[in-house]
Amino acid sequence: MTFVVALSTLLSNVAWAANPLNFGSDILTADPSGHVWQDGRMYLYTSHDENCQLDFWMKDWHVFSSDDLINWVDHGAVLSVDQLSWADNYAWAPDAGYKNGKYYFVFPAGTGHKDRANPEKSTKWMGIGIAESDSPTGPFVDVIGAPLWREPYANDPSLFIDDDGQAYLYFHGKGFDYYVIKMADDMRSTEGDFIKMDMGGYEPKMEGPWVFKRNDIYYFTMPENNRELAYYTAPSPLGPWQYQGVFMESEHDSNNHHSIVQFKDDWILFYHRWLETPDANCDARKRQRHSAAEYIYFNDDGTIKKVNRTEHGVGQNLTKKISN
């Protein structure tokens, strides 16, 4: 009984981030890409859902930072489609990287209209751009003034920079999934051709990939069937990949988009949830997307333990380890 009382007291005194993450306003964010740079802070790059937006017509990207995952600073929009000469819509899931003393922001954007009722009439096109800045919070500048390529149609970029400095760009491509391409050293162009990776014979429908490395194991993670989060492992960033299964189930049969990053001694899963949002006042869609976070744990062999969504999210280490 004494232990139960003590544990209850400890839990009641812990500060939790709470899900969804509190960015200090009613901003709607999705597709959170987490990175820890040289200053040790967590930087979260997100897409920005406008209230009651029409069919994911999104216009800019935001960045937030925190030194405890609980209190966040909103640094505002780091780039907008209004600043692009080659796209005017679809500011979807971004990513970021650091190399050559500069910060790089990789992003999808597009033009045209997607006709969901008559797909054959769709004019929508999307490509991937890259911008750079001297600061992790921008502003970022589209220095090449064009997408990295025009074919294939692509979005949901994931920028992974290996220990040797080589940068790899993974993405979701229309009829072109499970490909990767190397970035040139100047980070302003690609190098060589697209590389079709060996996924061990299992290639389900997917959206935004996220690649990271832990203890010499490379992880290719993704929303499998655009819903549940699943992953592969490999001895190199190019594979061959071995499918390991689902680590987070789907919610509301809706899309998910995530990142996995080490922060201090912990590994954090950022993702978005579709939650009832009473203030949205949307006739067609009452659920809106909100960024959230959970601790993620690994087994001794490097496989990922199942992750459940929680209301409290991430908090202080002592309580987190007790609950694990």
Side-chain angles (χ1 to χ4, degrees), residues 160-286:
F160 173 72
I161 301 178
D162 207 355
D163 298 335
D164 61 2
Q166 177 62 59
Y168 299 85
L169 186 57
Y170 306 81
F171 56 93
H172 164 57
K174 190 174 182 179
F176 217 81
D177 283 340
Y178 303 107
Y179 280 81
V180 62
I181 194 165
K182 293 182 179 181
M183 295 293 296
D185 188 60
D186 65 4
M187 297 294 287
R188 295 184 176 184
S189 60
T190 58
E191 182 179 273
D193 203 354
F194 296 100
I195 301 168
K196 179 66 171 68
M197 295 183 296
D198 178 359
M199 308 306 295
Y202 184 63
E203 299 184 6
K205 183 179 180 181
M206 58 163 277
E207 284 190 352
W210 178 266
V211 174
F212 68 98
K213 183 181 181 182
R214 177 183 178 273
N215 295 344
D216 295 325
I217 299 175
Y218 294 84
Y219 294 78
F220 182 96
T221 66
M222 61 168 186
E224 182 175 340
N225 298 314
N226 303 347
R227 297 293 185 265
E228 60 269 17
L229 298 183
Y231 74 110
Y232 299 75
T233 57
S236 88
L238 300 177
W241 298 97
Q242 179 180 353
Y243 182 72
Q244 300 289 355
V246 171
F247 64 89
M248 175 180 267
E249 300 294 340
S250 64
E251 181 180 46
H252 305 311
D253 193 30
S254 298
N255 66 30
N256 198 350
H257 196 109
H258 71 295
S259 60
I260 299 171
V261 59
Q262 186 175 16
F263 180 65
K264 300 178 181 177
D265 294 328
D266 302 308
W267 283 86
I268 310 297
L269 167 67
F270 291 104
Y271 65 106
H272 67 235
R273 302 185 68 180
W274 290 81
L275 301 174
E276 296 286 343
T277 309
D279 295 335
N281 296 321
C282 299
D283 293 334
R285 182 187 296 152
K286 292 183 179 180

Side-chain angles (χ1 to χ4, degrees), residues 46-314:
T46 74
S47 59
H48 174 207
D49 285 349
E50 298 183 8
N51 190 20
C52 306
Q53 67 194 10
L54 180 62
D55 201 14
F56 301 107
W57 289 8
M58 299 152 68
K59 302 301 183 181
D60 58 21
W61 299 267
H62 281 244
V63 63
F64 308 87
S65 71
S66 174
D67 60 9
D68 60 8
L69 305 184
I70 297 172
N71 302 289
W72 293 87
V73 176
D74 183 351
H75 299 280
V78 295
L79 187 66
S80 165
V81 293
D82 292 339
Q83 299 168 265
L84 306 179
S85 62
W86 52 274
D88 59 10
N89 205 341
Y90 307 112
W92 287 8
D95 196 12
Y98 178 80
K99 186 179 177 180
N100 306 329
K102 289 188 177 291
Y103 297 90
Y104 295 92
F105 183 74
V106 61
F107 60 92
T111 60
H113 176 72
K114 182 173 183 176
D115 190 328
R116 293 185 181 273
N118 301 286
E120 70 279 1
K121 297 181 180 180
S122 291
T123 59
K124 181 182 172 187
W125 167 87
M126 293 191 72
I128 294 173
I130 191 160
E132 60 186 60
S133 175
D134 293 326
S135 167
T137 59
F140 286 87
V141 178
D142 176 22
V143 291
I144 65 174
L148 288 167
W149 65 80
R150 289 193 173 273
E151 294 290 340
Y153 170 117
N155 56 40
D156 291 357
S158 175
L159 182 62
F160 173 72
I161 301 178
D162 207 355
D163 298 335
D164 61 2
Q166 177 62 59
Y168 299 85
L169 186 57
Y170 306 81
F171 56 93
H172 164 57
K174 190 174 182 179
F176 217 81
D177 283 340
Y178 303 107
Y179 280 81
V180 62
I181 194 165
K182 293 182 179 181
M183 295 293 296
D185 188 60
D186 65 4
M187 297 294 287
R188 295 184 176 184
S189 60
T190 58
E191 182 179 273
D193 203 354
F194 296 100
I195 301 168
K196 179 66 171 68
M197 295 183 296
D198 178 359
M199 308 306 295
Y202 184 63
E203 299 184 6
K205 183 179 180 181
M206 58 163 277
E207 284 190 352
W210 178 266
V211 174
F212 68 98
K213 183 181 181 182
R214 177 183 178 273
N215 295 344
D216 295 325
I217 299 175
Y218 294 84
Y219 294 78
F220 182 96
T221 66
M222 61 168 186
E224 182 175 340
N225 298 314
N226 303 347
R227 297 293 185 265
E228 60 269 17
L229 298 183
Y231 74 110
Y232 299 75
T233 57
S236 88
L238 300 177
W241 298 97
Q242 179 180 353
Y243 182 72
Q244 300 289 355
V246 171
F247 64 89
M248 175 180 267
E249 300 294 340
S250 64
E251 181 180 46
H252 305 311
D253 193 30
S254 298
N255 66 30
N256 198 350
H257 196 109
H258 71 295
S259 60
I260 299 171
V261 59
Q262 186 175 16
F263 180 65
K264 300 178 181 177
D265 294 328
D266 302 308
W267 283 86
I268 310 297
L269 167 67
F270 291 104
Y271 65 106
H272 67 235
R273 302 185 68 180
W274 290 81
L275 301 174
E276 296 286 343
T277 309
D279 295 335
N281 296 321
C282 299
D283 293 334
R285 182 187 296 152
K286 292 183 179 180
R287 289 195 181 105
Q288 301 284 290
R289 297 192 295 179
H290 301 262
S291 294
E294 310 289 353
Y295 289 105
I296 189 167
Y297 301 101
F298 298 84
N299 295 305
D300 291 341
D301 62 359
T303 53
I304 299 175
K305 295 185 178 182
K306 293 281 187 177
V307 181
N308 295 317
R309 294 169 181 82
T310 67
E311 298 304 315
H312 57 258
V314 293

